[in-house]
Amino acid sequence: MNTHIPRVDFGRRVLVLRRRHIAVRLQWRSVVVCAVLAVAIAGTAVLALMTGSYALSPGQVLSALTGRETGIVHDIVVEWRLPRVTAALVFGSALGVSGAVFQSLLRNPLADPGIVGFSQGSYTGALIVILVVNGTYVQLVGGAFLGGMATAVAVYALAHRRGVQGFRLIIVGIGVSAMLGSLNTWLILKADLDQAMSAAAWGAGSLNGVSWDQVVIGGACIAGLLLLAGMLSRPMRQMELGDDAAASQGVRVSPARLGMILVGVALTATVTAASGPIAFISLVAPQIGRRLARTAGITLAPAAFVGALLCLASDYLAQHVAPTPLPVGIITVVLGGGYLGYLLFTEARRRL
């Protein structure tokens, strides 16, 4: 009598178990990294709420936040300083996720919405709304989104040559960004003096005039976009292996790519409409998050936490380290410029 004995491929089973073990270990490392970053963010936020021309103690800050402190201390913490701190956290996380989306989409660490021109396009759309329409914040968001999407379409069309390669798109994006920068300067020079001064100050990337209304509206938009980004995280990771490999695993590549572009541009446009273009956070945050979590690809959660911490720390330095308060965008340019040079150097060496 013939008996069939199933053959077990022990080597393959061990390989699968090892991969699962590594994936679980990396996932737990990401959770620990996010928890440590959350503690650092909380400490920096309390420090920002304490520091100013009217210094406060940690106890006073916590009492004001819990409603036990009233009067001038409550007004300073809740009405004056807390909107700025909240805006830095929300906008920084949005920029971090936006950069992670584009770097994963293009599979290039230099893929940043600011470098490839999407931020400049959002700035151009918002400038037109400010100088021509004199619109509301909601209209600013719409103008910034349309400007960013128009720039994205133009960059992709110019960079398309038997497909879109990440490095070619970055080069084209740099050129488009320079052209849009000249257009933005021309729009400011042609505007009235008061409008030009406010637009120029806002264009440096500043949280000085952020109010609770902008934080609530922008935070609601960003929360919905972050939820969409989380839904796209699985196809985003699979598309890092290539379009063919992602399609073989059931990913609808074209709709997923379009959704990623829309989410990334919308996150950048929302932040730009509220605070102006804050540079380099979307470039630096995903790479720092990936190195801290030690993941092979870009992950959204560490990028969001690192972006929030960078934006909050940069805004604190802009307010209290310089002799006069500076726009947060100036500090992020100083910090991110050196990192951009490092990335360009390593990318050039890798391609030689």
Side-chain angles (χ1 to χ4, degrees):
M1 184 176 68
N2 294 329
T3 59
H4 176 69
I5 301 176
R7 186 173 68 90
V8 179
D9 191 346
F10 290 102
R12 183 176 181 181
R13 178 172 296 183
V14 170
L15 180 61
V16 170
L17 293 176
R18 183 177 298 174
R19 287 179 177 176
R20 290 179 179 177
H21 173 70
I22 293 174
V24 171
R25 186 175 61 185
L26 291 176
Q27 184 177 4
W28 273 108
R29 182 177 177 87
S30 297
V31 172
V32 172
V33 167
C34 291
V36 173
L37 290 172
V39 173
I41 288 171
T44 308
V46 172
L47 179 63
L49 293 173
M50 289 169 47
T51 311
S53 57
Y54 192 99
L56 300 173
S57 65
Q60 289 177 308
V61 170
L62 295 178
S63 298
L65 293 177
T66 55
R68 292 180 295 174
E69 188 78 39
T70 58
I72 186 64
V73 174
H74 178 272
D75 292 339
I76 290 174
V77 173
V78 177
E79 299 298 332
W80 299 349
R81 297 178 183 174
L82 188 58
R84 186 173 187 137
V85 171
T86 307
L89 295 177
V90 174
F91 296 164
S93 63
L95 291 174
V97 171
S98 177
V101 167
F102 283 111
Q103 289 180 15
S104 175
L105 177 65
L106 301 176
R107 297 189 289 274
N108 195 307
L110 297 176
D112 169 66
I115 292 176
V116 297
F118 300 160
S119 295
Q120 282 286 2
S122 298
Y123 181 33
T124 303
L127 267 182
I128 293 174
V129 173
I130 291 174
L131 301 178
V132 178
V133 183
N134 195 18
T136 62
Y137 174 65
V138 177
Q139 292 173 326
L140 273 179
V141 175
F145 177 75
L146 292 177
M149 283 305 304
T151 305
V153 171
V155 171
Y156 265 78
L158 292 172
H160 192 279
R161 182 182 178 184
R162 295 192 297 271
V164 176
Q165 296 182 1
F167 198 72
R168 185 193 302 139
L169 186 140
I170 290 172
I171 298 300
V172 173
I174 291 174
V176 172
S177 179
M179 295 173 60
L180 289 174
S182 300
L183 175 60
N184 295 337
T185 302
W186 180 81
L187 288 174
I188 293 175
L189 291 175
K190 287 294 183 179
D192 295 335
L193 181 59
D194 294 337
Q195 287 182 326
M197 291 179 63
S198 61
W202 174 79
S206 177
L207 299 176
N208 290 334
V210 173
S211 63
W212 272 122
D213 292 337
Q214 292 175 323
V215 172
V216 171
I217 297 174
C221 295
I222 289 171
L225 292 170
L226 292 179
L227 180 61
L228 291 176
M231 296 171 61
L232 292 170
S233 62
R234 180 176 175 271
M236 184 182 78
R237 289 194 301 269
Q238 292 173 332
M239 288 171 64
E240 290 181 353
L241 302 175
D243 292 350
D244 294 337
S248 66
Q249 298 179 12
V251 177
R252 301 174 61 186
V253 175
S254 296
R257 180 180 289 112
L258 178 61
M260 293 165 65
I261 293 174
L262 290 174
V263 168
V265 172
L267 286 170
T268 303
T270 305
V271 176
T272 302
S275 60
I278 301 176
F280 286 108
I281 288 181
S282 51
L283 171 72
V284 176
Q287 293 300 314
I288 294 178
R290 183 178 68 85
R291 283 165 171 77
L292 291 176
R294 293 183 182 176
T295 56
I298 300 296
T299 50
L300 297 182
F305 279 90
V306 172
L309 180 60
L310 285 176
C311 190
L312 182 59
S314 298
D315 188 57
Y316 179 83
L317 294 176
Q319 290 185 78
H320 305 295
V321 172
T324 58
L326 298 173
V328 63
I330 294 178
I331 302 299
T332 58
V333 166
V334 172
L335 297 178
Y339 188 78
L340 174 61
Y342 166 76
L343 279 182
L344 289 172
F345 178 74
T346 54
E347 185 73 10
R349 288 190 59 184
R350 187 178 67 85
R351 291 179 176 274
L352 290 177

